[in-house]
Amino acid sequence: MVPPPPAGASGVRDITRRLTEICGPRFARLAGPADEVAGSTARWVAVPGGPHAAAQVLRLAARHDLSVVPRGAGTKIDWGAPPERVDIMLDTGRLAGIGHQAPDHGTAEIGAGTPLRAVQAILERTGRRLALDTPSPGATLGGVLAADEAGPLRHRHGTACDQLVGLRYLAADGELAEAGGGAAGLAEARLLCGSEGALGVLVGATLRVQAVPAARVWVTRPVWTPLEVHDLIQAVLAARLDPAAIELDLPVGTGCRPRRDRRAESMALHPSMTGRVPTGPAGTGSLVVLLEGGPAEVAERTDRLVGLLGSRATVARAAPPWWRSYPFAPGDTALRLEVPMTDLHAAVYALRDAAGGPVPVRGSAGLGVVHAALPGAMAPSRVASILAAVRGVLLARQGRCVVLAAPPAVRRTVDLWGERADLAHLRAVKQHLDPTHRLAPGRLPGGL
């Protein structure tokens, strides 16, 4: 429930006027029905034109005891717990831009509100890229960092937070801070990764960049069971093929392996099939390995990989349609499972057993980080029982299961994060960076 406006209607007008003075007439307004964060509706929307203006918004909020929740493109605005209240939604869309640097420079300075696809388009003009391929279309750099979101390339390059060189952010009191320049600085910067804007308002970041690979090849192998996936990944990793990504897609219909069809295998090897991706039987899963690098060495590694995966493997110069996308849709209960890769099959089997049948699973199988979807119409009590069973299995394997998004009734019923060993540390960090709990209160585990 939204608390009453400060000092009545005159207070609302005063806050609106001050936000307009700070941000400009077209960039401050009363919030509308679409301005919500995981179901909590904002009261004002402010779009500051730069870090100085954003700092003024935070200072205004401090004077009037108002909460502030940052928003980028809003692609993951429904992830996590709803804030206790959203007085001012601070839109970072104007905190955008890319610093001008020489093409041979190994880093790029990027504003937090810059869409990643715009960054990649600009860098590609000079033959460079960020090693980031997050699934959320239109996501900003700040949103990716705040959610600690990553795509298939995390297998080789890590998440955006792993690629940080430096970070600029505003503390709750509006002071501009910089973190980076060494192990201690990077550790401080990475505290804000995954914090959903509850520890600071991200202004900009410096990340490593790299040359665009001259060749990219996707090798696909149909799969039917989680245990088969486990064995294949172990073989790929043991072969030292230096994959850029190892992704898994297990649709709902994946089940028992069909009988071997020698004629189909022979046809798949015919020269006319080169580069084509077979449709496969209904319900077939896919294990896909991405190889990147120079043309000659990628070709050599591709030959070795196909020899390892067998006659069912196919080679393509383009990613499969499901690549870099989540298995869940709006309204589903979206899960992220993290477990040592050697125990991923046990986690998937546990999820299937608890749900009473196959559940769509997709993600970075080579790292043991995958996503899954439960139907949005599933009763909250049923979701809670599934989570309890899966978390029990993962706990013994140093893994965890997090609810990223869910229908309101499910959010109110389940523990989104499960057991957190770092809760005391997180509480101390929140107290240090935001002692008045002004930034996105309640977004972090433990209601922080």
Side-chain angles (χ1 to χ4, degrees), residues 422-445:
D422 62 342
L423 193 56
H425 175 67
L426 188 60
R427 185 175 290 109
V429 171
K430 177 70 171 177
Q431 182 62 28
H432 173 68
L433 294 177
D434 182 22
T436 59
H437 285 223
R438 177 158 294 109
L439 297 177
R443 285 285 267 171
L444 294 174

Side-chain angles (χ1 to χ4, degrees), residues 386-408:
I386 291 172
L387 285 174
V390 172
R391 285 169 173 166
V393 172
L394 294 181
L395 185 61
R397 293 169 167 79
Q398 289 73 55
R400 62 176 184 156
C401 177
V402 176
V403 179
L404 297 179

Side-chain angles (χ1 to χ4, degrees), residues 62-418:
R63 285 197 299 272
H64 293 274
D65 192 26
L66 301 174
S67 67
V68 177
V69 178
R71 176 180 69 182
T75 58
K76 296 171 289 298
I77 202 71
D78 61 336
W79 283 23
E84 294 172 2
R85 59 191 176 108
V86 187
D87 293 321
I88 299 176
M89 180 175 284
L90 195 157
D91 190 306
T92 64
R94 297 169 73 197
L95 304 179
I98 304 174
H100 296 287
Q101 294 175 325
D104 59 348
H105 202 284
T107 63
E109 296 180 7
I110 305 166
T114 315
L116 272 183
R117 58 188 175 193
V119 177
Q120 300 289 30
I122 291 172
L123 290 176
E124 283 176 7
R125 296 173 189 170
T126 57
R128 300 180 298 164
R129 71 171 184 180
L130 292 175
L132 300 175
D133 54 352
T134 56
S136 299
T140 62
L141 175 63
V144 168
L145 290 169
D148 199 14
E149 185 183 27
L153 288 178
R154 77 179 294 170
H155 180 90
R156 179 192 284 176
H157 303 285
T159 66
C161 298
D162 295 323
Q163 299 176 52
L164 276 177
V165 175
L167 190 67
R168 299 174 68 217
Y169 67 96
L170 291 165
D173 59 3
E175 288 297 312
L176 182 63
E178 295 193 21
L186 286 177
E188 179 185 350
R190 287 168 183 163
L191 287 174
L192 279 80
C193 293
S195 67
E196 302 287 357
L199 298 179
V201 177
L202 301 182
V203 171
T206 303
L207 288 92
R208 295 190 296 272
V209 298
Q210 59 179 233
V212 174
R216 306 185 84 198
V217 167
W218 286 261
V219 180
T220 299
R221 166 67 150 76
V223 291
W224 287 269
T225 69
L227 186 57
E228 180 185 21
V229 172
H230 169 273
D231 294 342
L232 288 171
I233 293 176
Q234 291 280 56
V236 170
L237 295 178
R240 301 187 182 278
L241 294 164
D242 192 23
I246 302 177
E247 292 286 299
L248 171 68
D249 179 44
L250 288 178
V252 172
T254 309
C256 298
R257 183 188 183 102
R259 292 191 306 172
R260 186 176 183 184
D261 187 337
R262 294 185 181 275
R263 181 175 180 274
E265 290 180 356
S266 298
M267 291 178 65
L269 293 175
H270 191 274
S272 65
M273 294 298 293
T274 302
R276 299 187 185 180
V277 179
T279 56
T284 302
S286 299
L287 182 70
V288 181
V289 181
L290 170 61
L291 301 176
E292 295 184 333
E297 54 99 3
V298 165
E300 185 273 332
R301 284 188 287 146
T302 299
D303 289 342
R304 289 169 52 203
L305 180 57
V306 170
L308 180 68
L309 296 180
S311 61
R312 291 182 181 272
T314 57
V315 179
R317 299 287 175 177
W322 54 266
W323 188 265
R324 213 180 78 174
S325 65
Y326 294 118
F328 44 80
D332 287 343
T333 295
L335 309 178
R336 182 176 67 226
L337 285 74
E338 302 175 11
V339 68
M341 187 280 296
T342 52
D343 287 322
L344 179 61
H345 65 293
V348 176
Y349 280 127
L351 181 59
R352 288 183 173 188
D353 290 345
V359 174
V361 172
R362 184 181 297 159
S364 301
L367 295 176
V369 180
V370 297
H371 296 89
L374 298 176
M378 183 176 285
S381 59
R382 181 80 179 107
V383 175
S385 66
I386 291 172
L387 285 174
V390 172
R391 285 169 173 166
V393 172
L394 294 181
L395 185 61
R397 293 169 167 79
Q398 289 73 55
R400 62 176 184 156
C401 177
V402 176
V403 179
L404 297 179
V410 174
R411 288 181 196 271
R412 292 191 295 267
T413 303
V414 308
D415 179 354
L416 301 181
W417 294 279

